[in-house]
Amino acid sequence: MKSLKKLQLLTIINNLMTQNESGITNNDVFDAIRRDYESYYDALSFSNKVTGFDMKDPKCIKAAYEGVLKKCWTDIDKEIKEAGEKFALVRIGTKNTTYQYPQGLDFNPCERALNRERKNVKSSIYEILKTSFELLPKSWITALGLPPEEDETHSMKIIMFDSTSLRNSELLPIIYEHIKHRQVIEFSYQPYHKESYQVKMTPYLLKEYNMRWYVFGRSECKGKKYDAMSHYSIDRIERNSVHAIDVEYIDNNLDYEQYFNEIVGVTFDNENELEEIELLAMNQNTLGYIQTKKIHPSQQIEGNIIKLRLRPNHEFIDRLLQYADQLKLIKGSDKLRNEMVSRAKRMIENLTS
């Protein structure tokens, strides 16, 4: 967060110093920050809840940025001093200090400090992305201009994703390009323990759920054309089989937000009605887990009761069964209750037989 603030401040300082050869003050920087925030607060209807500060209030801006701004001036001064002993950042006054570059300097010290900070941020981003290589294809990471030069000072692992090697992740940019260019595709699909079959698909969306990628679209396979949205797991598509075919691409006007807000995961079954569901958390620990990691976007909590509105599917039941005896279904359809009871009975049989 501080690195991003430094990037923001160094960019502002660089612009102001370029426009004002006589120098600038901290108040000039704070005013520029306020103008920046006002422009996109108004455009995006942001509130102070976004940052925790009212960024239209000069006192809040000063509180949020004063410490980082001091470090920015230190970095700029360091860049200047590298030019020789006779050079240093010029400070005029003590109360509202004016900062100037020294005479005779033949380079922009703020630009150098800015480039150094960009490199630091780039290195941090790379360290985060590098650990997600199993979820995102390496080609997407390297396309961002990564990796940077090796930094031996940060060799210790400080972030880790709970992921396993994801088969066929390199298909993501290929299918992404087909969607982007509105191309119908054909591929060979290999279900578990079944024979593979050919699929023709008008692809619309790539979506990740539970460490697995899916492509959504309208498809045709086994002599049957599906009008409803269908999905295929990327890891079961045969790697070298994806190619565009000369078929008209039919646009899709599906509201994805509404589509996925009615389910957990990726399976949408029209036979399952949208219903109101209530769960009783049997202890405060379980309630806390569900509060901080929602089961579904519709989730509301009243006391120890978790209220949901969705179409039950097997992913939803899987989520509930993760909590075992820590949740009680107090409101829901007979179909949902019977399926959960049936699953629980099979679990007991598997554990006791």
Side-chain angles (χ1 to χ4, degrees), residues 18-176:
T18 301
Q19 299 166 11
N20 300 277
E21 293 184 2
S22 59
I24 64 172
T25 68
N26 284 351
N27 286 340
D28 293 328
V29 178
F30 294 145
D31 286 342
I33 294 170
R34 178 181 51 77
R35 289 193 297 271
D36 282 352
Y37 274 104
E38 282 184 346
S39 63
Y40 73 76
Y41 264 60
D42 292 341
L44 301 178
S45 300
F46 279 7
S47 73
N48 60 348
K49 293 180 181 179
V50 176
T51 61
F53 290 97
D54 180 0
M55 299 310 287
K56 293 182 181 181
D57 184 342
K59 291 182 180 179
C60 287
I61 292 175
K62 185 175 181 180
Y65 282 91
E66 190 171 35
V68 181
L69 181 55
K70 184 177 180 180
K71 292 180 180 179
C72 288
W73 289 123
T74 300
D75 287 354
I76 293 170
D77 193 26
K78 182 179 178 180
E79 297 292 341
I80 293 172
K81 287 177 178 177
E82 287 187 0
E85 293 182 1
K86 66 177 182 178
F87 292 105
L89 182 65
V90 179
R91 295 174 171 87
I92 304 172
T94 55
K95 188 173 183 180
N96 189 27
T97 304
T98 297
Y99 296 88
Q100 294 178 342
Y101 295 152
Q103 296 292 323
L105 200 65
D106 60 358
F107 65 89
N108 184 337
C110 188
E111 188 63 41
R112 287 192 179 184
L114 192 54
N115 288 336
R116 194 183 298 270
E117 197 60 35
R118 286 190 186 117
K119 184 178 177 180
N120 290 339
V121 171
K122 184 179 180 181
S123 179
S124 297
I125 292 172
Y126 172 67
E127 288 301 317
I128 295 172
L129 291 177
K130 186 170 65 173
T131 61
S132 68
F133 275 168
E134 288 127 356
L135 183 60
L136 296 174
K138 291 181 181 179
S139 58
W140 274 4
I141 309 300
T142 54
L144 298 174
L146 302 168
E149 297 176 8
E150 291 295 328
D151 184 353
E152 297 297 330
T153 62
H154 295 289
S155 58
M156 183 178 68
K157 194 175 188 69
I158 57 176
I159 186 169
M160 181 181 290
F161 286 87
D162 185 13
S163 64
T164 56
S165 182
L166 191 64
R167 185 173 181 268
N168 284 354
S169 64
E170 288 299 326
L171 285 178
L172 286 173
I174 295 172
I175 297 174
Y176 176 88

Side-chain angles (χ1 to χ4, degrees), residues 192-230:
Y192 298 131
H193 309 298
K194 294 181 181 179
E195 291 186 2
S196 64
Y197 55 86
Q198 291 298 113
V199 177
K200 294 179 182 178
M201 173 180 253
T202 304
Y204 299 127
L205 182 73
L206 289 164
K207 179 176 172 59
E208 181 272 337
Y209 174 71
N210 199 24
M211 299 304 301
R212 195 184 301 275
W213 283 98
Y214 299 86
V215 56
F216 284 76
R218 302 198 185 279
S219 64
E220 181 180 345
C221 64
K222 298 180 180 180
K224 185 176 180 180
K225 189 172 184 179
Y226 296 91
D227 292 327
M229 186 71 72
S230 54

Side-chain angles (χ1 to χ4, degrees), residues 232-335:
Y232 294 86
S233 177
I234 297 294
D235 68 296
R236 278 169 271 170
I237 296 176
E238 294 189 4
R239 187 168 299 177
N240 297 319
S241 69
V242 180
H243 60 278
I245 57 177
D246 189 16
V247 176
E248 182 184 5
Y249 187 96
I250 306 299
D251 287 321
N252 176 51
N253 58 4
L254 180 68
D255 185 337
Y256 295 114
E257 293 293 331
Q258 180 178 346
Y259 183 87
F260 288 108
N261 276 343
E262 291 188 5
I263 60 173
V264 170
V266 296
T267 307
F268 191 103
D269 189 345
N270 282 314
E271 293 183 2
N272 293 335
E273 298 290 335
L274 194 64
E275 61 177 277
E276 307 287 340
I277 298 166
E278 293 185 8
L279 307 164
L280 176 65
M282 305 305 292
N283 57 62
Q284 292 301 307
N285 280 341
T286 300
L287 186 66
Y289 283 128
I290 294 174
Q291 280 179 322
T292 54
K293 188 178 181 182
K294 287 186 174 183
I295 296 173
H296 186 261
S298 67
Q299 176 176 302
Q300 293 183 349
I301 294 180
E302 296 180 7
N304 279 22
I305 297 176
I306 300 111
K307 296 185 176 183
L308 307 163
R309 188 172 188 272
L310 51 77
R311 296 176 186 269
N313 57 10
H314 71 85
E315 292 104 313
F316 172 61
I317 295 173
D318 286 345
R319 285 291 304 275
L320 296 189
L321 293 178
Q322 287 177 10
Y323 292 99
D325 61 343
Q326 305 304 305
L327 283 178
K328 180 178 180 180
L329 179 64
I330 58 175
K331 181 180 179 181
S333 65
D334 290 339
K335 182 179 179 181

